[in-house]
Amino acid sequence: MDLQFENDLQAATDEGEKKNLTQENEALKVQIRKMKIVARNPERSRADERLISSLKNKALECQDDLEKSEASLVKAWAQLAENAKGRTQFVQQLKRKYEGTITSLRRKVTTLENEAAKQAKDFKVNREDYYNLMAQMEEGIK
């Protein structure tokens, strides 16, 4: 249960991180486009060059982070699927065990019912024999 919660939490975190990185990546791309427009101007300064370079590096870092987050998300989904498969197998095993127990108990009940019927029949026969013997004794006493 905790593993599923952790996987769900990790998946949600990864999804949020992916969205943030995507937004940040898009914002950086917009900045780069603006800088390229300015860069076409022949009067680019060293500061502009450094800014463009740092923005490109930042965009690449964000892309790497995004790819890592997507890979983490795929792993989390795979773990969730594996856990679901394991739980399904466990439930099926419990069901088989339960059904085996029910079958065993039904056999025992049937055996006990048969024994009770036999005892009732034997009791009836013994009772009749007892009454017959009592009648013979009474006749023998008279």
Side-chain angles (χ1 to χ4, degrees):
M1 192 70 158
D2 289 335
L3 182 59
Q4 180 182 4
F5 175 76
E6 288 177 21
N7 287 341
D8 291 343
L9 183 63
Q10 181 65 38
T13 303
D14 290 345
E15 191 67 36
E17 187 175 324
K18 178 182 174 182
K19 287 180 184 177
N20 288 340
L21 290 173
T22 302
Q23 290 172 352
E24 188 175 340
N25 196 16
E26 288 301 319
L28 290 172
K29 285 180 181 180
V30 168
Q31 279 184 325
I32 289 172
R33 275 188 235 121
K34 287 180 183 177
M35 291 305 295
K36 283 182 179 180
I37 292 170
V38 171
R40 288 186 190 127
N41 190 350
E43 300 173 6
R44 278 198 298 208
S45 67
R46 270 190 189 192
D48 291 342
E49 291 290 334
R50 275 187 257 137
L51 180 61
I52 291 170
S53 176
S54 69
L55 288 173
K56 285 180 181 179
N57 290 337
K58 183 84 169 167
L60 289 174
E61 288 173 13
C62 288
Q63 185 66 30
D64 289 342
D65 290 344
L66 180 62
E67 289 171 3
K68 288 176 185 175
S69 293
E70 288 173 344
S72 179
L73 185 61
V74 167
K75 286 179 186 177
W77 281 113
Q79 184 66 39
L80 284 173
E82 185 178 322
N83 289 344
K85 182 181 176 184
R87 284 190 190 98
T88 301
Q89 290 173 348
F90 178 70
V91 168
Q92 289 172 346
Q93 181 182 6
L94 285 177
K95 183 180 177 187
R96 285 190 297 271
K97 187 175 181 180
Y98 170 78
E99 289 172 350
T101 302
I102 293 297
T103 303
S104 174
L105 290 174
R106 284 184 179 153
R107 283 187 205 131
K108 286 179 183 179
V109 166
T110 302
T111 302
L112 291 173
E113 286 173 346
N114 291 340
E115 286 179 16
K118 184 178 183 272
Q119 287 177 355
K121 181 180 174 184
D122 291 346
F123 176 75
K124 185 177 179 182
V125 169
N126 288 340
R127 186 176 60 189
E128 289 175 6
D129 289 343
Y130 173 75
Y131 287 130
N132 288 337
L133 288 174
M134 288 295 286
Q136 287 175 2
M137 277 179 41
E138 286 178 4
E139 285 180 23
I141 293 176
K142 289 183 186 179

